[in-house]
Structure formats: structure tokens, C-alpha cells
């Protein structure tokens, strides 16, 4: 399906852009998961910004969803 190919290409551009901006490496994630296993901790959120967003979502869900909606729109509006 032509639409699917275009969507896959667009998604590939988005993922590539996100990976280029990433500040947490695969090794960082692996180390965090390993440490969590040793401490028998289930939830592992290796990225500092994601941890902040997780806590905001827990205490102010409406604010969180509005914040995410705006951030997503801004991200998608940027030229690739």
C-alpha cells in the first residue's frame, strides 16, 4: 500500500531524528536495568526528562496530556 510506505518513511525520519538527539545511550539503559534487577525494582525510567514527565503524569494527568499534545505538535511541525 502506497500510504504505508510513505508512513514508514516518515516514521523512519522521526526515529532517526530522535536517536540523533538522544542523551541516553543503550549502555546507560542496560546499566539502569541491571541495577534495577539487583534492587528488585520493576519500573525503570532511564531518561531524566522521562522520569520528570512520569511524575507529572501521576499527579497532574490533564496538565501532562496537554503538555504532551503541544510538544508532539511542535516536534512534528519542525522541518526534517
Amino acid at each position: 500500500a502506497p500510504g504505508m510506505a510513505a508512513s514508514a518513511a516518515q516514521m523512519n525520519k522521526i526515529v532517526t531524528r530522535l536517536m540523533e538527539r538522544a542523551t541516553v545511550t543503550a549502555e546507560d539503559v542496560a546499566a539502569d536495568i541491571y541495577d534495577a534487577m539487583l534492587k528488585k525494582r520493576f519500573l525503570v525510567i532511564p531518561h531524566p526528562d522521562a522520569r520528570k514527565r512520569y511524575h507529572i503524569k501521576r499527579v497532574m494527568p490533564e496538565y501532562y496530556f496537554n503538555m504532551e499534545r503541544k510538544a508532539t505538535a511542535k516536534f512534528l511541525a519542525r522541518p526534517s
Side-chain angles (χ1 to χ4, degrees):
M4 290 292 280
S7 296
Q10 183 179 14
M11 184 57 67
N12 191 30
K13 285 170 91 173
I14 290 170
V15 170
T16 299
R17 200 162 78 207
L18 287 170
M19 293 302 291
E20 288 170 352
R21 293 178 31 197
T23 58
V24 177
T25 66
E27 290 80 11
D28 296 333
V29 173
D32 285 350
I33 291 170
Y34 182 77
D35 291 342
M37 276 184 3
L38 293 178
K39 296 175 184 173
K40 298 185 189 277
R41 197 175 73 228
F42 174 73
L43 183 63
V44 181
I45 306 174
H47 197 281
D49 188 53
R51 278 193 298 275
K52 181 178 85 174
R53 290 174 185 269
Y54 168 78
H55 292 291
I56 291 171
K57 183 179 178 182
R58 300 268 303 160
V59 296
M60 297 182 292
E62 289 294 325
Y63 175 77
Y64 168 81
F65 287 114
N66 285 331
M67 181 179 72
E68 288 299 310
R69 185 176 39 81
K70 288 177 186 175
T72 300
K74 183 178 176 183
F75 177 81
L76 293 176
R78 287 188 213 159
S80 38

